[in-house]
């Protein structure tokens, strides 16, 4: 299979596929996520928090208490999926569930102290792993990544806005 220059493992474009930039970015993001997920479990074997739970904890820490329906909307997941994840996280002591004070028919969840500590440990482990990898790169690559961060944040915002417009 042919590879795109500069993107190891990226398949050659098929007719009707996205731009070269979109293909290359998709390949790079996919490979980066896979490598980070794999390396974090190799170097930090205690860390087995699934990404879906990490994302829910992130929202809970930022917006507690938060309704399950809002969690689902913010993460663009089915409410039944979020309810199941929340039930698991409540059983594991990472979240608490209570009746929403604004609507007694709804449930609101909050991160527990244990959930906040677990999320902080997860974040520190990922940052250490990335710091280690960044130090292995040449200065020019680190500078290019640093310069790309604002554009990547704007790209993420555009994707979030586009997703929100379609909901």
């Amino acid at each position: 299979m042919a590879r795109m220059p500069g993107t190891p493992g990226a398949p050659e474009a098929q007719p009707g596929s996205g731009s070269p930039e979109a293909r290359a970015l998709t390949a790079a993001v996919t490979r980066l996520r896979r490598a980070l997920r794999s390396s974090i479990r190799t170097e930090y074997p205690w860390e087995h928090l699934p990404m879906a739970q990490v994302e829910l904890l992130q929202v809970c820490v930022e917006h507690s208490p938060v309704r399950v329906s809002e969690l689902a909307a913010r993460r663009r997941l089915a409410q039944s999926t979020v309810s199941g994840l929340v039930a698991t996280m409540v059983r594991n002591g990472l979240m608490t569930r209570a009746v929403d004070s604004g609507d007694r028919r709804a449930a609101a969840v909050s991160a527990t102290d244990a959930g906040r500590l677990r999320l902080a440990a997860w974040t520190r482990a990922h940052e250490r792993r990335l710091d280690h990898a960044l130090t292995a790169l040449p200065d020019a690559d680190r500078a290019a990544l640093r310069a790309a961060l604002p554009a990547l944040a704007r790209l993420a915002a555009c994707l979030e806005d586009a997703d929100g417009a379609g909901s």
Side-chain angles (χ1 to χ4, degrees):
M1 181 181 299
R3 308 282 184 223
M4 289 188 58
T7 53
E12 186 173 316
Q14 298 299 314
S17 61
S19 69
E21 293 84 5
R23 286 191 308 274
L25 186 57
T26 297
V29 167
T30 300
R31 189 170 180 212
L32 181 61
R33 287 182 67 211
R34 186 179 309 118
L36 186 57
R37 188 173 51 244
S38 174
S39 70
I40 203 73
R41 295 220 167 97
T42 299
E43 294 186 26
Y44 304 99
W46 52 266
E47 185 47 67
H48 294 289
L49 196 60
M51 194 61 206
Q53 290 184 18
V54 168
E55 291 178 353
L56 294 181
L57 272 175
Q58 289 169 331
V59 173
C60 276
V61 166
E62 190 172 329
H63 299 284
S64 282
V66 61
R67 288 182 182 186
V68 172
S69 60
E70 185 180 346
L71 267 178
R74 286 182 179 274
R75 294 292 86 206
R76 292 172 179 78
L77 295 169
Q79 191 165 338
S80 60
T81 300
V82 172
S83 291
L85 288 166
V86 165
T88 298
M89 296 171 77
V90 167
R91 273 194 312 275
N92 292 336
L94 302 174
M95 286 184 179
T96 59
R97 181 193 302 255
V99 173
D100 186 335
S101 60
D103 180 353
R104 310 238 1 119
R105 298 168 297 167
V109 294
S110 297
T112 63
D113 288 343
R116 289 174 188 276
L117 289 171
R118 185 78 178 269
L119 181 60
W122 182 92
T123 301
R124 281 191 309 273
H126 277 74
E127 288 172 356
R128 280 192 305 267
R129 180 65 182 119
L130 283 168
D131 277 340
H132 178 73
L134 286 167
T135 60
L137 293 176
D139 290 343
D141 285 351
R142 285 196 309 275
L145 287 167
R146 192 172 25 261
L149 290 174
L152 289 169
R154 289 189 298 273
L155 177 61
C158 285
L159 291 167
E160 290 165 352
D161 290 347
D163 284 347
S167 329

